[in-house]
Amino acid sequence: MKRFDSELASGQDQAVAVLGPRNVWVADGRIHHWNGRRWRTVRPKTAGREKFDNVFGAGKRVWFVTRPDPTFQDVRLLGFDGRRWSWAPEPRRGGLAQNVGAPLALPGGDVWWPGNPSLPSVRRLRAGTWKTFQPPLYTYTVDGRRSGDLWAVGEAFDQKEPHPFIPAAAHWNGKRWRPARLPKVAEGMLRSVTVVSTRDVWAVGRSSGGRSPRPLVLHWNGRTWSRIPAPRLAEPTLRTVAPDGRGGIWTASATHLAHYSAGRWTTVRTPPGTDEITLVRTPGSTTIWALAVSYDHATLLRHRG
């Protein structure tokens, strides 16, 4: 397996969004754009002194997350459609809580905001209006390819279990969130989900009930969720997952990047000191971008599969 090639190594609290091979965005307080040949720093005229610490997008639209007042957790969204910058409307009731998981933008324009995992709710922005939903779990991440077929993952509280927090997932059919029946895991959580198709969904996280924590990998085949044997890693919490474009997946903990293909795992170490890591695939390709963030710096890596 080829190692990832370093593309960027600077900054802190970074996030990356990949809209195409010549359209990559990074937020590290400032906004940076990759056009396929070089990086440049972008300064939107509609923004003042805001610092942007997250970015996500789909199609031609990208969203940047800023916290106007560092003493508060509420954030605002600044959007760019390739021509014009504009602020997203704020919710009428309450603000947007700084989320731990990854927000989702759909090509049709919808935005899903997981919010704070301590609250069992997610928000959707559609046609300029926010609406709040309450899926049956504490949500970390939402993913999907169309507005009527989404998956949310996180954890749920089950008083019947000796360790009450268990991995959880729910499906959105366009009208309501329904809980999914997962393989029994005594304790743990799901941190990330990627929807390849209606019959191909992957979720990753950690299981820890009754023994030392282990990586957790689940797969949906269109009918049932099944547990996939996971590699043993020094740091067991799988924090991110992305399809490799060839039928397999990439996932990662703080210590290792792991590739699953044809029933086999291969692993490679993450950059030293990595605390958080995010994987994003270039749409329609086998190229994977990995953003590894440590206490005082971040490294952006790229793998051409």
Side-chain angles (χ1 to χ4, degrees), residues 196-280:
V196 184
S197 69
T198 302
R199 299 180 179 180
D200 189 10
V201 182
W202 296 84
V204 300
R206 179 190 70 239
S207 65
S208 52
R211 54 186 175 183
S212 59
R214 295 185 177 183
L216 178 62
V217 180
L218 302 180
H219 180 252
W220 168 259
N221 64 4
R223 293 186 176 183
T224 60
W225 282 95
S226 59
R227 187 168 181 175
I228 305 298
R232 292 185 177 272
L233 305 175
E235 200 284 316
T237 302
L238 296 175
R239 302 159 187 269
T240 181
V241 61
D244 66 1
R246 298 180 182 274
I249 58 167
W250 281 95
T251 184
S253 72
T255 58
H256 288 83
L257 291 148
H259 182 234
Y260 183 74
S261 179
R264 294 181 62 251
W265 287 99
T266 52
T267 61
V268 60
R269 296 283 299 189
T270 58
T274 296
D275 295 315
E276 287 291 340
I277 188 165
T278 303
L279 298 173
V280 185

Side-chain angles (χ1 to χ4, degrees), residues 29-31 41-52 64-69 76-78 85-87:
R30 298 179 298 172
I31 295 173
T41 300
V42 179
R43 297 177 176 84
K45 294 181 179 180
T46 53
R49 296 182 178 181
E50 289 88 355
K51 292 185 177 181
F52 299 91
F64 297 90
V65 182
T66 182
R67 190 182 305 146
D69 186 340
R76 293 191 65 193
L77 303 181
L78 179 63
W85 294 87
S86 59
W87 291 98

Side-chain angles (χ1 to χ4, degrees), residues 8-92:
L8 181 69
S10 65
Q12 187 180 7
D13 295 331
Q14 288 194 11
V16 60
V18 182
L19 277 63
R22 298 178 179 85
N23 194 8
V24 180
W25 296 86
V26 164
D28 66 350
R30 298 179 298 172
I31 295 173
H32 310 278
H33 182 249
W34 169 259
N35 65 4
R37 295 182 299 174
R38 63 184 181 89
W39 290 97
R40 69 182 182 93
T41 300
V42 179
R43 297 177 176 84
K45 294 181 179 180
T46 53
R49 296 182 178 181
E50 289 88 355
K51 292 185 177 181
F52 299 91
D53 57 11
N54 201 353
V55 58
F56 62 102
K60 295 182 179 181
R61 179 175 287 277
V62 62
W63 294 96
F64 297 90
V65 182
T66 182
R67 190 182 305 146
D69 186 340
T71 62
F72 292 95
Q73 290 297 310
D74 291 352
V75 301
R76 293 191 65 193
L77 303 181
L78 179 63
F80 181 62
D81 62 5
R83 294 184 178 182
R84 188 171 63 92
W85 294 87
S86 59
W87 291 98
E90 298 184 58
R92 293 181 180 179

Side-chain angles (χ1 to χ4, degrees), residues 102-229:
L104 171 67
L106 294 173
D110 286 1
V111 170
W112 285 87
W113 189 262
N116 191 324
S118 64
L119 300 173
S121 65
V122 296
R123 282 177 160 172
R124 182 190 67 193
L125 174 64
R126 171 178 289 179
T129 301
W130 288 96
K131 186 175 181 179
T132 301
F133 299 88
Q134 294 185 330
L137 74 163
Y138 297 91
T139 304
Y140 277 89
T141 306
V142 179
D143 193 46
R145 296 293 172 264
R146 56 189 180 86
S147 59
D149 183 18
L150 306 177
W151 285 93
V153 299
E155 58 187 356
F157 185 79
D158 188 345
Q159 293 180 331
K160 298 179 182 179
E161 298 291 337
H163 305 282
F165 284 99
I166 59 174
H171 181 253
W172 172 259
N173 63 7
K175 295 182 179 180
R176 61 182 61 88
W177 287 99
R178 295 185 180 276
R181 181 177 295 180
L182 302 181
K184 185 175 178 59
V185 178
E187 182 183 10
M189 47 83 79
L190 290 172
R191 184 72 181 270
S192 182
V193 61
T194 186
V195 177
V196 184
S197 69
T198 302
R199 299 180 179 180
D200 189 10
V201 182
W202 296 84
V204 300
R206 179 190 70 239
S207 65
S208 52
R211 54 186 175 183
S212 59
R214 295 185 177 183
L216 178 62
V217 180
L218 302 180
H219 180 252
W220 168 259
N221 64 4
R223 293 186 176 183
T224 60
W225 282 95
S226 59
R227 187 168 181 175
I228 305 298

